[in-house]
Amino acid sequence: PAGPGCCFSPAAVSGSTPSEKDAIGEGLFELLKPAVQQLDLHVHSVRESQVELREHIDNLATELCRINEHQKVALDLDPYVKKLLNARRRVVLVNNILQNAQERLRRLNHNVAKETARRKTMLEASGAFTPRSPSKP
């Protein structure tokens, strides 16, 4: 809850010193980092399943064409092959979108980690920040 007394309210952050803002930023980063990493893993697994699905669609389309060529009864499978190829095209589009999103997530994660390390180094150099053990308050 970001009420008037909350430490994350806009008024509290804007009135903070630079080292307090850095601490808040680092805290937010540490809070969000696991979620970003988990999202990245999920995007990666979805991309892998998309590639597998695309391969299955390709194999099925090839098999349908082969069956169509060897059929003695005139059965037109071309519309089904076209539907499969259209589905494959959509899978490729979704995969490209996921790939771009995953790359943006990686860049964001990298930039935030780099900025956090830079600020932590600056704070340690100025003596304003001393790392604490997580078990000690």
Side-chain angles (χ1 to χ4, degrees), residues 10-82:
V13 173
S14 65
S16 301
T17 65
S19 63
E20 289 171 335
K21 287 181 183 176
D22 288 340
I24 291 170
E26 186 174 331
L28 285 173
F29 171 71
E30 291 301 322
L31 182 69
L32 295 174
K33 185 177 179 179
V36 170
Q37 289 173 336
Q38 185 178 16
L39 182 60
D40 187 53
L41 287 173
H42 288 304
V43 168
H44 182 72
S45 66
V46 169
R47 285 186 55 217
E48 286 179 350
S49 68
Q50 292 270 318
V51 168
E52 188 177 324
L53 178 59
R54 187 181 67 216
E55 290 171 357
H56 285 300
I57 288 172
D58 287 344
N59 291 339
L60 185 55
T62 302
E63 191 66 24
L64 281 175
C65 287
R66 189 185 64 75
I67 290 171
N68 198 28
E69 289 172 1
H70 292 91
Q71 278 291 359
K72 293 182 181 175
V73 178
L75 180 61
D76 189 18
L77 296 177
D78 285 340
Y80 302 106
V81 171
K82 286 178 184 175

Side-chain angles (χ1 to χ4, degrees), residues 42 47 55 85-86 102 106 135:
H42 288 304
R47 285 186 55 217
E55 290 171 357
L85 293 176
N86 190 30
Q102 187 175 33
R106 283 189 184 140
S135 61

Side-chain angles (χ1 to χ4, degrees), residues 105-121:
L105 270 173
R106 283 189 184 140
R107 279 195 310 260
L108 177 65
N109 196 21
H110 174 75
N111 289 340
V112 170
K114 192 165 83 172
E115 181 66 16
T116 300
R118 184 186 69 79
R119 288 181 182 201
K120 189 174 182 180
T121 302

